[in-house]
């Protein structure tokens, strides 16, 4: 258990120093994966422990809900609903393509293309017992690409990055 904890903490610290997106999550994942692939020293978190971790993720997400956020949502409901519908439609189309033209199972394809955050898709993928590393890799690449491209776009448009 100590080796796994050290690997997770070291990976999270390194990713934080490198200023990667979702650094603690991504770094811990890579740190533990390296230990797991190179030795037999990893500790599997039991079901009750995973439950506690998922509660913590839900807690963090719940903290983002504020009265101001709900007001903004209400004032922009039409645009938000259109955006969500398009995200879901494009995600389903991408999932169908991955499932149809690759050897991915339909559940992995759906979760890899779902418009969600890394933590949420990782947790859902683990619960669904799909190819978690693949799902997380797609989301890490997606978020990293968005951050890089949007930063460049903001600079080109004269905004802050």
């Amino acid at each position: 258990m100590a080796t796994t904890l050290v690997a997770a903490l070291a990976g999270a610290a390194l990713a934080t120093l490198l200023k990667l997106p979702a650094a603690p999550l991504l770094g811990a994942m890579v740190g533990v994966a390296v230990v797991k692939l190179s030795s037999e020293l990893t500790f599997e978190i039991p079901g009750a422990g995973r439950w506690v971790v998922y509660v913590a993720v839900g807690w963090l997400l719940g903290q983002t809900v504020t009265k101001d956020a709900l007001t903004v949502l209400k004032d922009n409901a039409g645009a938000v609903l259109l955006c969500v519908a398009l995200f879901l439609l494009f995600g389903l189309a991408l999932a169908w393509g991955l499932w149809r033209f690759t050897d991915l199972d339909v559940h992995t394809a759906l979760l890899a293309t779902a418009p969600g955050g890394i933590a949420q898709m990782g947790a859902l993928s683990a619960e669904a017992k799909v190819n978690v590393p693949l799902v997380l890799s797609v989301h890490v690449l997606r978020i990293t690409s968005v951050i890089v491209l949007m930063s460049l776009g903001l600079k080109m448009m004269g905004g802050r990055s």
Side-chain angles (χ1 to χ4, degrees), residues 58-146:
W59 181 353
L60 287 170
L61 294 172
Q63 290 288 95
T64 67
V65 178
T66 64
K67 289 180 183 179
D68 289 340
L70 293 176
T71 299
V72 169
L73 176 62
K74 180 182 160 203
D75 293 344
N76 297 284
V80 169
L81 290 173
L82 177 62
C83 188
V84 169
L86 289 173
F87 276 141
L88 292 172
L89 182 65
F90 289 131
L92 287 170
L94 288 170
W96 180 84
L98 283 175
W99 170 71
R100 175 73 172 84
F101 299 110
T102 71
D103 61 350
L104 292 180
D105 65 280
V106 68
H107 298 107
T108 298
L110 280 167
L111 290 172
T113 60
I118 295 172
Q120 298 80 13
M121 293 298 100
L124 191 54
S125 297
E127 285 296 310
K129 295 179 177 43
V130 302
N131 189 337
V132 177
L134 186 127
V135 170
L136 290 177
S137 295
V138 170
H139 286 286
V140 167
L141 183 58
R142 173 183 58 86
I143 289 171
T144 303
S145 300
V146 166

Side-chain angles (χ1 to χ4, degrees), residues 7 27-38 42:
M29 180 183 77
V30 170
V32 172
V34 166
V35 170
K36 188 167 186 164
L37 292 172
S38 63
T42 58

